[in-house]
Structure formats: C-alpha cells, structure tokens
Coordinates of all heavy atoms in Angstrom, one line a residue:
F224 N -0.8 -16.6 -21.3 CA -2.0 -15.9 -21.5 C -3.0 -16.1 -20.3 O -3.5 -15.2 -19.7 CB -2.7 -16.4 -22.8 CG -4.1 -15.8 -23.0 CD1 -4.2 -14.4 -23.3 CD2 -5.2 -16.5 -22.8 CE1 -5.5 -13.9 -23.5 CE2 -6.4 -16.0 -23.0 CZ -6.6 -14.7 -23.4
F225 N -3.2 -17.4 -19.9 CA -4.2 -17.7 -18.9 C -3.6 -17.3 -17.5 O -4.4 -16.8 -16.6 CB -4.5 -19.2 -18.8 CG -5.3 -19.6 -20.0 CD1 -4.8 -20.5 -21.0 CD2 -6.6 -19.1 -20.2 CE1 -5.6 -20.8 -22.1 CE2 -7.4 -19.4 -21.3 CZ -6.9 -20.3 -22.2
S226 N -2.3 -17.4 -17.3 CA -1.8 -17.0 -16.0 C -1.9 -15.4 -15.9 O -2.1 -14.9 -14.8 CB -0.3 -17.4 -15.9 OG 0.5 -16.7 -16.8
G227 N -1.7 -14.7 -17.0 CA -1.9 -13.3 -17.0 C -3.3 -12.9 -16.6 O -3.5 -11.9 -15.8
I228 N -4.3 -13.6 -17.1 CA -5.7 -13.3 -16.7 C -5.9 -13.6 -15.3 O -6.5 -12.8 -14.5 CB -6.6 -14.2 -17.6 CG1 -6.6 -13.7 -19.1 CG2 -8.1 -14.1 -17.1 CD1 -7.4 -14.6 -20.0
S229 N -5.4 -14.7 -14.8 CA -5.6 -15.1 -13.4 C -4.9 -14.1 -12.5 O -5.5 -13.7 -11.5 CB -5.0 -16.5 -13.2 OG -5.0 -16.8 -11.8
S230 N -3.7 -13.7 -12.8 CA -2.9 -12.7 -12.0 C -3.6 -11.4 -11.9 O -3.7 -10.8 -10.9 CB -1.5 -12.6 -12.5 OG -0.8 -11.6 -11.8
S231 N -4.1 -10.9 -13.1 CA -4.8 -9.6 -13.1 C -6.1 -9.7 -12.3 O -6.3 -8.7 -11.6 CB -5.1 -9.3 -14.6 OG -5.8 -8.1 -14.7
G232 N -6.8 -10.7 -12.4 CA -8.0 -10.9 -11.6 C -7.7 -11.0 -10.1 O -8.4 -10.4 -9.3
D233 N -6.7 -11.7 -9.8 CA -6.3 -11.8 -8.4 C -5.9 -10.4 -7.8 O -6.3 -10.1 -6.7 CB -5.1 -12.8 -8.3 CG -4.8 -13.2 -6.9 OD1 -5.8 -13.4 -6.1 OD2 -3.6 -13.4 -6.6
Q234 N -5.2 -9.6 -8.5 CA -4.8 -8.3 -8.0 C -6.0 -7.4 -7.9 O -6.1 -6.6 -6.9 CB -3.7 -7.7 -8.9 CG -2.3 -8.3 -8.7 CD -1.3 -7.7 -9.6 OE1 -1.6 -6.8 -10.3 NE2 -0.1 -8.1 -9.4
T235 N -6.9 -7.4 -8.9 CA -8.1 -6.6 -8.8 C -8.9 -7.0 -7.7 O -9.4 -6.1 -6.9 CB -8.8 -6.7 -10.1 OG1 -8.0 -6.4 -11.2 CG2 -10.1 -5.9 -10.2
L236 N -9.2 -8.2 -7.4 CA -10.0 -8.7 -6.3 C -9.3 -8.3 -5.0 O -10.0 -8.0 -4.0 CB -10.3 -10.2 -6.4 CG -11.2 -10.6 -7.5 CD1 -11.3 -12.1 -7.6 CD2 -12.6 -10.0 -7.3
L237 N -8.0 -8.4 -4.9 CA -7.3 -8.0 -3.7 C -7.6 -6.6 -3.4 O -7.8 -6.2 -2.2 CB -5.8 -8.3 -3.8 CG -4.9 -7.8 -2.7 CD1 -5.3 -8.4 -1.4 CD2 -3.5 -7.9 -3.0
L238 N -7.5 -5.7 -4.4 CA -7.8 -4.3 -4.1 C -9.2 -4.1 -3.6 O -9.4 -3.3 -2.6 CB -7.6 -3.5 -5.4 CG -6.1 -3.3 -5.8 CD1 -6.1 -2.5 -7.1 CD2 -5.4 -2.6 -4.8
Y239 N -10.2 -4.7 -4.2 CA -11.6 -4.5 -3.7 C -11.7 -5.1 -2.3 O -12.3 -4.5 -1.4 CB -12.6 -5.2 -4.6 CG -12.8 -4.5 -5.9 CD1 -12.7 -5.1 -7.1 CD2 -13.2 -3.1 -5.9 CE1 -12.9 -4.4 -8.3 CE2 -13.4 -2.5 -7.1 CZ -13.3 -3.1 -8.3 OH -13.5 -2.5 -9.4
Y240 N -11.1 -6.2 -2.0 CA -11.1 -6.8 -0.7 C -10.4 -5.9 0.4 O -11.0 -5.7 1.4 CB -10.4 -8.2 -0.8 CG -10.2 -8.9 0.5 CD1 -11.3 -9.5 1.2 CD2 -9.0 -9.0 1.1 CE1 -11.2 -10.2 2.4 CE2 -8.8 -9.7 2.3 CZ -9.9 -10.3 2.9 OH -9.8 -10.9 4.1
A241 N -9.3 -5.4 0.0 CA -8.5 -4.6 1.0 C -9.3 -3.2 1.2 O -9.3 -2.7 2.3 CB -7.1 -4.3 0.4
E242 N -9.8 -2.7 0.2 CA -10.6 -1.4 0.3 C -11.8 -1.6 1.3 O -12.1 -0.8 2.1 CB -11.0 -0.9 -1.0 CG -9.9 -0.3 -1.8 CD -10.4 0.2 -3.2 OE1 -11.5 -0.2 -3.6 OE2 -9.6 0.9 -3.9
Q243 N -12.5 -2.7 1.1 CA -13.7 -3.0 1.9 C -13.3 -3.4 3.3 O -13.9 -2.9 4.3 CB -14.5 -4.0 1.3 CG -15.8 -4.2 2.0 CD -16.7 -5.3 1.3 OE1 -16.3 -5.9 0.4 NE2 -17.9 -5.4 1.8
R244 N -12.4 -4.4 3.5 CA -12.2 -4.9 4.8 C -11.2 -4.1 5.7 O -11.4 -4.0 6.9 CB -11.6 -6.3 4.7 CG -11.4 -7.0 6.0 CD -11.2 -8.5 5.9 NE -11.0 -9.0 7.2 CZ -10.5 -10.2 7.4 NH1 -10.3 -11.0 6.4 NH2 -10.4 -10.7 8.6
F245 N -10.2 -3.5 5.0 CA -9.2 -2.7 5.8 C -9.2 -1.2 5.6 O -8.3 -0.5 6.0 CB -7.8 -3.3 5.5 CG -7.7 -4.7 5.8 CD1 -7.5 -5.7 4.8 CD2 -7.7 -5.2 7.1 CE1 -7.4 -7.0 5.1 CE2 -7.6 -6.5 7.4 CZ -7.4 -7.4 6.4
R246 N -10.2 -0.8 4.8 CA -10.4 0.7 4.6 C -9.1 1.2 3.9 O -8.6 2.3 4.2 CB -10.6 1.5 5.8 CG -11.8 1.0 6.7 CD -13.1 1.4 6.0 NE -14.2 1.0 6.9 CZ -15.2 0.3 6.4 NH1 -15.3 -0.1 5.2 NH2 -16.2 0.0 7.2
F247 N -8.7 0.5 2.8 CA -7.5 1.0 2.1 C -7.9 2.3 1.4 O -9.0 2.4 0.8 CB -7.1 0.0 1.0 CG -6.0 -0.9 1.3 CD1 -5.8 -1.4 2.6 CD2 -5.0 -1.2 0.4 CE1 -4.8 -2.2 2.9 CE2 -3.9 -1.9 0.7 CZ -3.8 -2.5 2.0
G248 N -7.0 3.3 1.4 CA -7.2 4.5 0.7 C -6.4 4.6 -0.5 O -5.7 3.6 -0.9
D249 N -6.4 5.8 -1.1 CA -5.5 6.0 -2.3 C -4.1 5.8 -2.1 O -3.3 5.2 -2.9 CB -5.8 7.3 -2.9 CG -7.2 7.5 -3.5 OD1 -7.8 6.5 -3.7 OD2 -7.6 8.6 -3.6
T250 N -3.6 6.2 -0.9 CA -2.2 6.1 -0.6 C -1.8 4.6 -0.4 O -0.7 4.2 -0.8 CB -1.9 6.9 0.7 OG1 -2.3 8.2 0.6 CG2 -0.4 6.9 1.1
D251 N -2.7 3.9 0.3 CA -2.4 2.5 0.5 C -2.4 1.7 -0.8 O -1.5 0.9 -1.1 CB -3.5 1.8 1.4 CG -3.4 2.4 2.8 OD1 -2.4 2.7 3.3 OD2 -4.5 2.6 3.3
V252 N -3.3 2.0 -1.7 CA -3.3 1.3 -3.0 C -2.1 1.7 -3.8 O -1.5 0.8 -4.5 CB -4.6 1.7 -3.8 CG1 -4.6 1.2 -5.2 CG2 -5.8 1.2 -3.1
A253 N -1.7 3.0 -3.8 CA -0.5 3.4 -4.5 C 0.8 2.6 -4.0 O 1.6 2.2 -4.7 CB -0.3 4.9 -4.4
A254 N 0.9 2.5 -2.6 CA 2.0 1.8 -2.0 C 2.0 0.3 -2.4 O 3.0 -0.2 -2.7 CB 1.9 2.0 -0.5
L255 N 0.8 -0.3 -2.5 CA 0.7 -1.7 -2.9 C 1.1 -1.8 -4.3 O 1.9 -2.8 -4.6 CB -0.8 -2.1 -2.7 CG -1.0 -3.6 -2.7 CD1 -0.3 -4.3 -1.5 CD2 -2.5 -3.9 -2.6
F256 N 0.7 -1.0 -5.2 CA 1.2 -1.0 -6.6 C 2.7 -0.9 -6.7 O 3.3 -1.6 -7.5 CB 0.5 0.0 -7.5 CG -0.9 -0.4 -7.9 CD1 -1.9 0.5 -8.0 CD2 -1.2 -1.7 -8.2 CE1 -3.2 0.1 -8.4 CE2 -2.4 -2.1 -8.6 CZ -3.4 -1.2 -8.7
I257 N 3.3 0.0 -6.0 CA 4.7 0.2 -6.0 C 5.4 -1.0 -5.5 O 6.4 -1.5 -6.1 CB 5.1 1.4 -5.2 CG1 4.7 2.7 -5.9 CG2 6.6 1.5 -4.9 CD1 4.9 4.0 -5.0
I258 N 4.9 -1.6 -4.4 CA 5.6 -2.8 -3.9 C 5.5 -4.0 -4.9 O 6.4 -4.7 -5.2 CB 4.9 -3.2 -2.5 CG1 5.3 -2.2 -1.5 CG2 5.3 -4.6 -2.1 CD1 4.6 -2.3 -0.2
F259 N 4.3 -4.2 -5.5 CA 4.1 -5.2 -6.5 C 5.0 -5.0 -7.7 O 5.7 -5.9 -8.2 CB 2.6 -5.2 -7.0 CG 1.7 -5.9 -6.1 CD1 0.3 -5.7 -6.3 CD2 2.1 -6.8 -5.1 CE1 -0.6 -6.4 -5.5 CE2 1.1 -7.4 -4.3 CZ -0.2 -7.2 -4.5
G260 N 5.1 -3.8 -8.1 CA 6.0 -3.5 -9.3 C 7.4 -3.7 -9.0 O 8.1 -4.4 -9.8
L261 N 7.9 -3.2 -7.9 CA 9.3 -3.3 -7.6 C 9.7 -4.8 -7.3 O 10.8 -5.3 -7.7 CB 9.7 -2.5 -6.4 CG 9.7 -1.0 -6.6 CD1 10.0 -0.2 -5.3 CD2 10.7 -0.5 -7.7
F262 N 8.8 -5.5 -6.6 CA 9.1 -6.9 -6.3 C 9.1 -7.7 -7.6 O 9.9 -8.6 -7.8 CB 8.1 -7.4 -5.3 CG 8.4 -8.8 -4.8 CD1 9.5 -9.0 -4.0 CD2 7.7 -9.9 -5.2 CE1 9.8 -10.3 -3.5 CE2 8.0 -11.2 -4.8 CZ 9.1 -11.4 -3.9
G263 N 8.1 -7.4 -8.5 CA 8.1 -8.1 -9.8 C 9.3 -7.8 -10.6 O 9.9 -8.8 -11.2
I264 N 9.8 -6.6 -10.7 CA 11.0 -6.3 -11.4 C 12.2 -7.1 -10.8 O 13.0 -7.7 -11.5 CB 11.3 -4.8 -11.4 CG1 10.3 -4.1 -12.3 CG2 12.7 -4.5 -11.9 CD1 10.3 -2.6 -12.1
F265 N 12.3 -7.1 -9.5 CA 13.4 -7.8 -8.8 C 13.4 -9.3 -9.2 O 14.4 -9.9 -9.5 CB 13.3 -7.6 -7.3 CG 14.3 -8.4 -6.5 CD1 15.6 -8.1 -6.5 CD2 13.9 -9.6 -5.9 CE1 16.6 -8.8 -5.8 CE2 14.8 -10.4 -5.2 CZ 16.1 -10.0 -5.2
M266 N 12.2 -9.9 -9.1 CA 12.0 -11.3 -9.3 C 12.4 -11.7 -10.8 O 13.1 -12.6 -11.0 CB 10.6 -11.8 -9.0 CG 10.3 -11.8 -7.5 SD 11.3 -12.8 -6.5 CE 10.7 -14.4 -7.0
L267 N 11.9 -10.9 -11.7 CA 12.1 -11.2 -13.1 C 13.6 -10.9 -13.5 O 14.2 -11.6 -14.3 CB 11.2 -10.3 -14.0 CG 9.8 -10.7 -14.0 CD1 8.9 -9.7 -14.8 CD2 9.5 -12.1 -14.5
T268 N 14.2 -10.0 -12.8 CA 15.6 -9.6 -13.2 C 16.6 -10.6 -12.5 O 17.6 -11.0 -13.2 CB 15.9 -8.2 -12.7 OG1 15.0 -7.3 -13.3 CG2 17.3 -7.8 -13.1
F269 N 16.4 -10.9 -11.3 CA 17.5 -11.6 -10.6 C 17.1 -13.1 -10.2 O 18.0 -13.9 -10.0 CB 17.8 -10.9 -9.3 CG 18.3 -9.5 -9.5 CD1 17.6 -8.4 -9.2 CD2 19.6 -9.3 -10.0 CE1 18.1 -7.1 -9.4 CE2 20.1 -8.1 -10.3 CZ 19.3 -7.0 -10.0
V270 N 15.9 -13.4 -10.0 CA 15.5 -14.7 -9.4 C 15.0 -15.7 -10.5 O 15.3 -16.9 -10.4 CB 14.5 -14.5 -8.3 CG1 14.0 -15.8 -7.7 CG2 15.0 -13.6 -7.2
L271 N 14.2 -15.3 -11.4 CA 13.5 -16.2 -12.3 C 14.4 -17.1 -13.1 O 14.2 -18.3 -13.3 CB 12.5 -15.4 -13.2 CG 11.6 -16.3 -14.1 CD1 10.7 -17.2 -13.2 CD2 10.8 -15.4 -15.0
N272 N 15.5 -16.5 -13.7 CA 16.4 -17.2 -14.5 C 17.0 -18.4 -13.7 O 17.1 -19.5 -14.2 CB 17.4 -16.3 -15.1 CG 18.2 -16.9 -16.2 OD1 17.7 -17.9 -16.8 ND2 19.4 -16.4 -16.5
G273 N 17.5 -18.1 -12.5 CA 18.1 -19.1 -11.7 C 17.1 -20.2 -11.3 O 17.5 -21.4 -11.3
L274 N 15.9 -19.8 -10.9 CA 14.9 -20.8 -10.6 C 14.6 -21.7 -11.8 O 14.4 -22.9 -11.6 CB 13.6 -20.1 -10.1 CG 13.6 -19.7 -8.6 CD1 12.3 -19.0 -8.3 CD2 13.7 -20.9 -7.7
T275 N 14.5 -21.1 -12.9 CA 14.2 -21.9 -14.1 C 15.3 -22.9 -14.4 O 15.1 -24.1 -14.8 CB 14.0 -21.0 -15.3 OG1 13.0 -20.1 -15.0 CG2 13.6 -21.8 -16.6
R276 N 16.6 -22.5 -14.2 CA 17.7 -23.5 -14.4 C 17.7 -24.6 -13.4 O 17.9 -25.7 -13.7 CB 19.0 -22.7 -14.3 CG 19.5 -22.2 -15.6 CD 20.9 -21.7 -15.6 NE 20.9 -20.2 -15.5 CZ 21.4 -19.5 -14.5 NH1 22.0 -20.1 -13.5 NH2 21.2 -18.2 -14.5
C277 N 17.3 -24.2 -12.1 CA 17.3 -25.2 -11.0 C 16.1 -26.2 -11.1 O 16.2 -27.4 -10.9 CB 17.4 -24.6 -9.7 SG 18.9 -23.7 -9.3
L278 N 14.9 -25.6 -11.2 CA 13.7 -26.4 -11.1 C 13.1 -26.7 -12.5 O 12.2 -27.6 -12.5 CB 12.7 -25.5 -10.3 CG 13.1 -25.1 -8.9 CD1 12.0 -24.3 -8.3 CD2 13.3 -26.3 -8.0
G279 N 13.4 -26.1 -13.5 CA 12.8 -26.2 -14.8 C 11.5 -25.4 -14.8 O 11.0 -24.9 -13.8
E280 N 11.0 -25.3 -16.0 CA 9.8 -24.4 -16.2 C 8.6 -25.0 -15.4 O 7.9 -24.2 -14.8 CB 9.4 -24.3 -17.7 CG 10.4 -23.5 -18.5 CD 10.1 -23.3 -19.9 OE1 9.0 -23.7 -20.3 OE2 10.9 -22.8 -20.7
K281 N 8.4 -26.3 -15.5 CA 7.2 -26.9 -14.8 C 7.4 -26.7 -13.2 O 6.4 -26.3 -12.6 CB 7.2 -28.3 -15.1 CG 6.0 -29.0 -14.4 CD 5.9 -30.5 -14.8 CE 4.7 -31.2 -14.2 NZ 4.7 -32.6 -14.5
G282 N 8.6 -26.8 -12.7 CA 8.9 -26.6 -11.3 C 8.6 -25.2 -10.9 O 8.1 -24.9 -9.8
V283 N 9.0 -24.2 -11.7 CA 8.7 -22.8 -11.4 C 7.2 -22.5 -11.4 O 6.8 -21.8 -10.5 CB 9.5 -21.9 -12.4 CG1 9.0 -20.5 -12.2 CG2 11.0 -22.0 -12.3
V284 N 6.5 -23.1 -12.3 CA 5.0 -22.9 -12.3 C 4.4 -23.5 -11.0 O 3.5 -22.9 -10.4 CB 4.4 -23.5 -13.6 CG1 2.9 -23.5 -13.5 CG2 4.9 -22.7 -14.8
V285 N 4.8 -24.7 -10.7 CA 4.3 -25.3 -9.5 C 4.7 -24.5 -8.2 O 3.8 -24.3 -7.3 CB 4.8 -26.8 -9.3 CG1 4.5 -27.4 -8.0 CG2 4.3 -27.7 -10.4
L286 N 5.9 -24.1 -8.1 CA 6.3 -23.2 -7.0 C 5.5 -21.9 -6.9 O 5.1 -21.5 -5.9 CB 7.8 -22.9 -7.1 CG 8.5 -22.2 -5.9 CD1 8.4 -23.0 -4.7 CD2 9.9 -21.8 -6.3
A287 N 5.3 -21.3 -8.1 CA 4.5 -20.1 -8.1 C 3.1 -20.3 -7.7 O 2.5 -19.5 -6.9 CB 4.5 -19.5 -9.5
F288 N 2.5 -21.5 -8.0 CA 1.2 -21.8 -7.6 C 1.1 -22.0 -6.1 O 0.2 -21.5 -5.4 CB 0.7 -23.1 -8.3 CG -0.6 -23.6 -7.8 CD1 -1.8 -22.9 -8.2 CD2 -0.7 -24.6 -7.0 CE1 -3.0 -23.4 -7.8 CE2 -2.0 -25.1 -6.5 CZ -3.1 -24.4 -6.9
I289 N 2.1 -22.7 -5.5 CA 2.2 -22.9 -4.1 C 2.3 -21.6 -3.3 O 1.5 -21.3 -2.4 CB 3.3 -23.8 -3.7 CG1 3.0 -25.3 -4.2 CG2 3.6 -23.9 -2.2 CD1 4.2 -26.2 -4.2
F290 N 3.2 -20.7 -3.8 CA 3.3 -19.4 -3.1 C 2.1 -18.5 -3.3 O 1.7 -17.8 -2.4 CB 4.6 -18.7 -3.6 CG 5.8 -19.1 -2.9 CD1 6.8 -19.9 -3.5 CD2 6.1 -18.7 -1.6 CE1 7.9 -20.3 -2.9 CE2 7.2 -19.1 -0.9 CZ 8.1 -19.9 -1.5
G291 N 1.5 -18.6 -4.4 CA 0.2 -17.9 -4.6 C -0.9 -18.4 -3.7 O -1.6 -17.5 -3.2
A292 N -1.0 -19.7 -3.5 CA -2.0 -20.2 -2.6 C -1.7 -19.8 -1.1 O -2.6 -19.4 -0.4 CB -2.0 -21.7 -2.7
I293 N -0.4 -19.8 -0.8 CA 0.0 -19.3 0.6 C -0.4 -17.8 0.8 O -0.9 -17.4 1.8 CB 1.5 -19.6 0.9 CG1 1.7 -21.1 1.0 CG2 1.9 -18.9 2.1 CD1 3.2 -21.5 1.0
N294 N 0.0 -17.1 -0.3 CA -0.3 -15.6 -0.2 C -1.7 -15.3 -0.1 O -2.1 -14.5 0.7 CB 0.3 -15.0 -1.5 CG 0.5 -13.5 -1.4 OD1 0.5 -13.0 -0.4 ND2 0.5 -12.9 -2.6
N295 N -2.6 -16.0 -0.8 CA -4.0 -15.7 -0.7 C -4.6 -16.2 0.6 O -5.6 -15.6 1.1 CB -4.8 -16.4 -1.9 CG -4.6 -15.6 -3.2 OD1 -4.3 -14.4 -3.2 ND2 -4.7 -16.3 -4.3
T296 N -4.0 -17.3 1.2 CA -4.5 -17.7 2.5 C -4.1 -16.7 3.5 O -4.9 -16.4 4.4 CB -3.8 -19.1 2.8 OG1 -4.1 -20.0 1.8 CG2 -4.3 -19.6 4.1
V297 N -3.0 -16.1 3.4 CA -2.6 -15.0 4.4 C -3.6 -13.9 4.3 O -4.0 -13.3 5.3 CB -1.1 -14.6 4.2 CG1 -0.8 -13.3 4.9 CG2 -0.2 -15.7 4.6
Y298 N -3.9 -13.5 3.0 CA -4.9 -12.4 2.8 C -6.2 -12.8 3.5 O -6.9 -11.9 4.1 CB -5.1 -12.1 1.3 CG -4.0 -11.5 0.6 CD1 -3.8 -11.7 -0.8 CD2 -3.0 -10.8 1.2 CE1 -2.8 -11.1 -1.5 CE2 -2.0 -10.2 0.6 CZ -1.8 -10.4 -0.8 OH -0.8 -9.9 -1.5
A299 N -6.6 -14.0 3.4 CA -8.0 -14.4 3.9 C -8.0 -14.3 5.4 O -9.0 -14.0 6.0 CB -8.3 -15.8 3.4
F300 N -6.9 -14.6 6.1 CA -6.9 -14.6 7.5 C -6.3 -13.4 8.1 O -6.1 -13.3 9.3 CB -6.2 -15.9 8.0 CG -7.0 -17.1 7.7 CD1 -6.5 -18.0 6.8 CD2 -8.2 -17.4 8.3 CE1 -7.2 -19.2 6.4 CE2 -8.9 -18.6 8.0 CZ -8.4 -19.4 7.1
A301 N -5.9 -12.4 7.3 CA -5.3 -11.2 7.8 C -6.3 -10.5 8.7 O -7.4 -10.3 8.5 CB -4.9 -10.3 6.6
S302 N -5.7 -10.0 9.8 CA -6.5 -9.3 10.8 C -6.2 -7.8 10.8 O -6.9 -7.0 11.5 CB -6.3 -9.8 12.2 OG -4.9 -9.7 12.6
D303 N -5.2 -7.4 10.1 CA -4.7 -6.0 10.1 C -4.2 -5.6 8.7 O -3.8 -6.5 7.9 CB -3.6 -5.8 11.1 CG -3.3 -4.3 11.4 OD1 -3.9 -3.5 10.7 OD2 -2.6 -4.1 12.4
K304 N -4.1 -4.4 8.4 CA -3.7 -3.8 7.1 C -2.2 -4.2 6.8 O -1.9 -4.5 5.7 CB -3.8 -2.3 7.1 CG -3.5 -1.7 5.8 CD -3.5 -0.2 5.9 CE -4.9 0.4 6.1 NZ -5.0 1.8 6.0
K305 N -1.4 -4.4 7.9 CA 0.0 -4.7 7.7 C 0.2 -6.0 7.0 O 1.2 -6.2 6.4 CB 0.8 -4.6 9.0 CG 0.4 -5.7 10.0 CD 1.2 -5.5 11.3 CE 0.7 -6.6 12.2 NZ 1.4 -6.5 13.5
W306 N -0.7 -7.0 7.2 CA -0.5 -8.3 6.6 C -0.7 -8.2 5.0 O -0.2 -9.1 4.4 CB -1.5 -9.3 7.2 CG -1.2 -9.7 8.6 CD1 -1.7 -9.1 9.7 CD2 -0.2 -10.6 9.0 NE1 -1.2 -9.7 10.8 CE2 -0.2 -10.6 10.4 CE3 0.6 -11.5 8.3 CZ2 0.6 -11.5 11.1 CZ3 1.5 -12.3 9.0 CH2 1.4 -12.3 10.4
I307 N -1.4 -7.2 4.5 CA -1.5 -7.1 3.1 C -0.2 -6.7 2.5 O 0.1 -7.1 1.4 CB -2.6 -6.1 2.8 CG1 -4.0 -6.6 3.4 CG2 -2.8 -5.9 1.3 CD1 -4.5 -7.9 2.9
F308 N 0.5 -5.9 3.2 CA 1.8 -5.4 2.7 C 2.9 -6.5 2.9 O 3.9 -6.6 2.4 CB 2.2 -4.1 3.3 CG 1.4 -3.0 2.9 CD1 0.4 -2.4 3.7 CD2 1.5 -2.4 1.6 CE1 -0.4 -1.4 3.3 CE2 0.7 -1.4 1.2 CZ -0.2 -0.9 2.0

C-alpha cells in the first residue's frame, strides 16, 4: 500500500519536473508512460520472481530502494531530456 503511494507520487512529481525543466510535451509524456509500462510488465513477468528467489523479499525491497535512489539522483542532475528516458 505505502509503496504504491510513494511510487505514484514519484511518477507524478517526475512529470511536473520534466515538463517544467525540460519542456516535456504531450508526446514526451506519452513516450515516458509507454516506457514505464513496458518496463514494468517486463520486470514483473521475467525478473521479479527470480530476484525474490535469490534475494528474498526483504532483499528485493532493499534493491528496489537503492535503484530508486540512483534513479532519482540521475533525474536531479540531468542536463538534457535524454537522461529522463
């Protein structure tokens, strides 16, 4: 529940940030949603089960937190629109 709220807020803030800083338009936002959706389907279908077996549920949550922090750091220091994608 709480991770869903955090993820939803993170994606919403990313859109506002990208629209203001990088002049994202409707096409860019649509492309970002497609990439998020396809990558999410891929991860849930092929990767998550194996990671859970290898790392355990707690390990997967910690790994997801680390990658989320790295991802948001890249967004913060991005100098061009291509870094968002």
Side-chain angles (χ1 to χ4, degrees):
F224 174 74
F225 292 115
S226 66
I228 292 172
S229 172
S230 175
S231 176
D233 193 35
Q234 286 182 357
T235 302
L236 290 174
L237 171 64
L238 287 177
Y239 286 126
Y240 174 74
E242 285 177 348
Q243 182 179 10
R244 183 163 179 195
F245 300 111
R246 306 285 184 233
F247 261 43
D249 293 340
T250 306
D251 297 320
V252 171
L255 195 62
F256 279 144
I257 289 172
I258 291 169
F259 280 164
L261 292 176
F262 190 71
I264 290 169
F265 174 78
M266 292 298 289
L267 290 173
T268 304
F269 299 109
V270 178
L271 187 61
N272 194 21
L274 275 177
T275 305
R276 273 190 258 119
C277 291
L278 302 176
E280 291 180 9
K281 183 178 179 181
V283 171
V284 171
V285 169
L286 185 67
F288 176 76
I289 291 168
F290 276 107
I293 291 169
N294 196 22
N295 285 335
T296 302
V297 169
Y298 291 155
F300 294 108
S302 59
D303 192 353
K304 187 186 290 190
K305 68 180 178 183
W306 287 98
I307 301 297
F308 292 104

